[in-house]
Amino acid sequence: MRYLANGPKNIAIRKTTYQSSYIQGYTDVAVLAVDGNRRANGGGFCIITGINEPYTWWEVDLGRDYYIHKLAIYFRTDIKDRRNGVRIYSSTEANQANTGHLCGATTINSLDVTTVTCDSTARYITLYREQTNNDGRSTMDFCEMEVYVCDAGTFGDDCSQFCHCRDGPCNYTTGYCTGGCKQNWTGANCNGCDSSHYGDLCRKQCSSRHCDGISSCDVNGTCTFGCDPGWMGTDCIEKCSDGQYGKACGKSCVQRNCLDSSSSCDHVTGECAGGCNRGYRSVDCTELCSVGTYSYNCNASCDDRHCSGNQDCGILFGTCTQGCLSGWELPDCAVRCRDGTYGPGCKFNCSEKHCKGDSTSCDAEHGTCLNGCQPGWKNQSCSVACDTGTYGPDCRLSCSQRHCQDEAASCDHISGSCGGPCKGDWKEIDCTGCTGAYGPECSSSCSARHCKSDDAPCDHMTGSCDGPCGAGWQGDTCTDKLYYKKREKLTIALFFSLPFPL
């Protein structure tokens, strides 16, 4: 695995330098080889040693030991014979001679910028030259010396490869880790992710992906068969963009049919939290109702309607186009008549009948009065007046039993009214009630009864107390004394009060 890196670092710049000799007028120029100026077309920015010397040298002190990867020498381009026979040494001690670790040597044909690989630990780099020039001189000149080291954890020619060793840096050339790898890494160079990780620095876990099916985990965490619904990207760890959801993020939140539709939704399912509009179903409300269903969330059944005749069932309202059976409401004939209506399409009102109770107390299908009829009316729908000669509740009262002063008086079918005065002490609108009396011709006084309650009712026909009698009285009218019962109680009391048996 390769990563972007800063590349090798030049550690020689502006470090302490020395050289064996100088040409007159060019003293203290040794530092020019580490000043960062690589100009190579003239001597004004380059070092030059003395002439007519048996040998010459130039040396840089790097300040401490480094593992030297490679170095580069920038020669003058106008005088090439002085680059011939230059040998480069590395050492841990000040050298200033042709000893130490020989990194390489140059010839007259060496490149203007010559690179040499040292792969050694050193503090000093020495360039050494003897009398090998064509003119018999050992003079040496060059413009810049750059010494490169790889940062810890990098290796290779350009230090662009990383190693992740557990103990110390890897080999700067091969990248080999001698002490094993850090967590999540594997391989001889510890530059590959283990089987459970991927990505930059192997930080991502293969198990955190949302792959569709079983997928291997390469360096990019690629999901071979794509992503689970709601996820995207090569490794399927990125949620769908806002407003998208589902497989390959191919569905749009705004194209759903939600009751509370919005531009954003659950990135996996697109769920409509408030349910679906009429005619749609499924979690994301994108499927039409199946055959035989309709309305919101398709939760109404066509079979539950009460249409008049066999009719089609639209997925929105399930409308019965030919009307409803008696007792059911439009548009889908699935709701019983309510609010005091009945019949086909609930077109009729219970209040138009003469039902006992409130105006909604009739059967939704046929209009039958559920609590019976108001006085003066009969049949199931309470729409027929009592027959001539009868009146009142259920038409069970007879006009002939009234006590009208005018025996030929009319008889209202509701109240039985005489339309005039009553005979004698008879009262009420139908002249069948007595004032403080009861019985034939109101001949018996209500006050002569012995009801337990002082305010007990007094039926004008029977005089019944409609409750218990007072002590010592019995009968419907509480006018019969309890003589025998009193005698029996007295005998029993006397028996138990004697000192010996009779």
Side-chain angles (χ1 to χ4, degrees):
M1 183 179 295
R2 297 177 65 87
Y3 301 88
L4 294 176
N6 293 326
K9 181 190 300 183
N10 176 21
I11 59 170
I13 192 166
R14 298 185 183 87
K15 294 294 174 67
T16 302
T17 54
Y18 314 91
Q19 66 183 55
S20 58
S21 57
Y22 301 91
I23 292 179
Q24 186 177 1
Y26 287 91
T27 58
D28 299 326
V29 296
V31 71
L32 295 178
V34 292
D35 65 354
N37 192 334
R38 295 173 174 175
R39 292 188 183 184
N41 58 354
F45 302 95
C46 307
I47 69 104
I48 185 169
T49 61
I51 59 177
N52 299 321
E53 301 289 340
Y55 61 87
T56 56
W57 54 263
W58 176 92
E59 187 170 272
V60 58
D61 180 0
L62 301 176
R64 67 175 179 83
D65 288 347
Y66 289 92
Y67 188 89
I68 308 301
H69 178 57
K70 64 179 181 180
L71 51 84
I73 306 170
Y74 290 79
F75 286 109
R76 290 178 59 173
T77 58
D78 55 341
I79 302 176
K80 294 188 177 182
D81 59 349
R82 294 177 183 172
R83 69 183 67 171
N84 184 45
V86 177
R87 285 177 286 176
I88 302 99
Y89 296 94
S90 64
S91 59
T92 56
E93 302 291 338
N95 187 8
Q96 302 177 359
N98 58 345
T99 58
H101 171 72
L102 178 63
C103 297
T106 63
T107 68
I108 197 171
N109 296 318
S110 292
L111 298 176
D112 294 341
V113 181
T114 297
T115 59
V116 178
T117 300
C118 282
D119 283 333
S120 63
T121 300
R123 174 175 175 172
Y124 299 91
I125 301 297
T126 306
L127 274 64
Y128 184 89
R129 188 167 185 269
E130 295 179 345
Q131 293 181 2
T132 57
N133 285 345
N134 294 334
D135 58 4
R137 297 176 180 177
S138 62
T139 305
M140 178 172 55
D141 62 356
F142 58 93
C143 299
E144 193 75 13
M145 162 66 73
E146 296 179 350
V147 180
Y148 299 110
V149 297
C150 291
D151 288 332
T154 63
F155 69 97
D157 288 342
D158 55 1
C159 302
S160 63
Q161 300 183 69
F162 284 80
C163 54
H164 299 271
C165 307
R166 184 173 58 209
D167 302 317
C170 60
N171 182 283
Y172 289 92
T173 302
T174 66
Y176 181 73
C177 291
T178 58
C181 303
K182 290 182 178 179
Q183 187 176 0
N184 302 351
W185 296 90
T186 189
N189 299 332
C190 300
N191 61 347
C193 299
D194 63 22
S195 60
S196 299
H197 297 83
Y198 73 97
D200 292 343
L201 301 180
C202 298
R203 290 174 177 171
K204 298 180 179 179
Q205 294 185 353
C206 296
S207 60
S208 66
R209 302 174 301 160
H210 299 272
C211 300
D212 184 2
I214 299 174
S215 179
S216 58
C217 189
D218 61 16
V219 295
N220 298 313
T222 304
C223 289
T224 307
F225 304 106
C227 305
D228 283 336
W231 302 93
M232 63 181 185
T234 301
D235 55 356
C236 302
I237 63 171
E238 184 180 356
K239 292 182 178 180
C240 292
S241 301
D242 190 35
Q244 303 294 316
Y245 71 99
K247 184 68 176 175
C249 301
K251 295 183 178 181
S252 172
C253 296
V254 298
Q255 293 178 349
R256 301 173 302 156
N257 295 278
C258 307
L259 282 174
D260 54 350
S261 183
S262 65
S263 59
S264 61
C265 63
D266 180 84
H267 70 104
V268 177
T269 64
E271 179 181 4
C272 293
C276 304
N277 271 325
R278 289 181 181 273
Y280 292 92
R281 61 174 184 161
S282 73
V283 173
D284 59 352
C285 300
T286 58
E287 297 180 23
L288 292 173
C289 291
S290 58
V291 176
T293 60
Y294 69 98
S295 195
Y296 299 105
N297 302 303
C298 305
N299 58 4
S301 171
C302 295
D303 293 338
D304 292 339
R305 300 180 305 159
H306 297 82
C307 302
S308 179
N310 186 17
Q311 302 178 35
D312 293 334
C313 184
I315 62 174
L316 298 181
F317 298 96
T319 302
C320 293
T321 55
Q322 298 176 31
C324 304
L325 293 175
S326 183
W328 301 91
E329 285 188 297
L330 292 171
D332 60 354
C333 304
V335 178
R336 277 281 190 183
C337 292
R338 51 193 169 180
D339 299 328
T341 61
Y342 71 97
C346 305
K347 297 178 181 178
F348 303 101
N349 295 313
C350 295
S351 60
E352 296 173 354
K353 298 174 156 302
H354 301 279
C355 299
K356 185 187 296 183
D358 60 40
S359 61
T360 64
S361 61
C362 76
D363 174 69
E365 184 173 356
H366 303 293
T368 302
C369 290
L370 303 179
N371 300 315
C373 301
Q374 294 176 7
W377 301 92
K378 67 177 184 177
N379 82 6
Q380 289 184 333
S381 62
C382 300
S383 58
V384 178
C386 293
D387 295 334
T388 301
T390 61
Y391 72 96
D394 300 323
C395 301
R396 65 176 179 268
L397 299 178
S398 174
C399 295
S400 62
Q401 295 180 349
R402 300 175 304 159
H403 300 276
C404 304
Q405 185 170 315
D406 181 3
E407 294 182 356
S410 62
C411 183
D412 182 81
H413 73 100
I414 296 175
S415 65
S417 172
C418 292
C422 302
K423 289 180 181 180
D425 292 330
W426 293 97
K427 303 294 183 183
E428 307 298 343
I429 193 170
D430 61 350
C431 299
T432 59
C434 302
T435 302
Y438 67 94
E441 304 296 328
C442 299
S443 58
S444 300
S445 174
C446 291
S447 61
R449 302 173 306 157
H450 297 277
C451 305
K452 186 173 184 178
S453 174
D454 292 336
D455 57 353
C458 183
D459 184 271
H460 73 278
M461 297 290 290
T462 65
S464 172
C465 292
D466 195 23
C469 298
W473 299 91
Q474 63 180 347
D476 292 336
T477 59
C478 301
T479 56
D480 297 331
K481 291 185 178 181
L482 288 173
Y483 294 110
Y484 296 101
K485 289 186 177 181
K486 285 187 176 182
R487 186 179 299 159
E488 290 174 357
K489 290 180 179 180
L490 177 60
T491 302
I492 293 171
L494 289 172
F495 176 81
F496 282 103
S497 64
L498 293 174
F500 52 84
L502 293 175

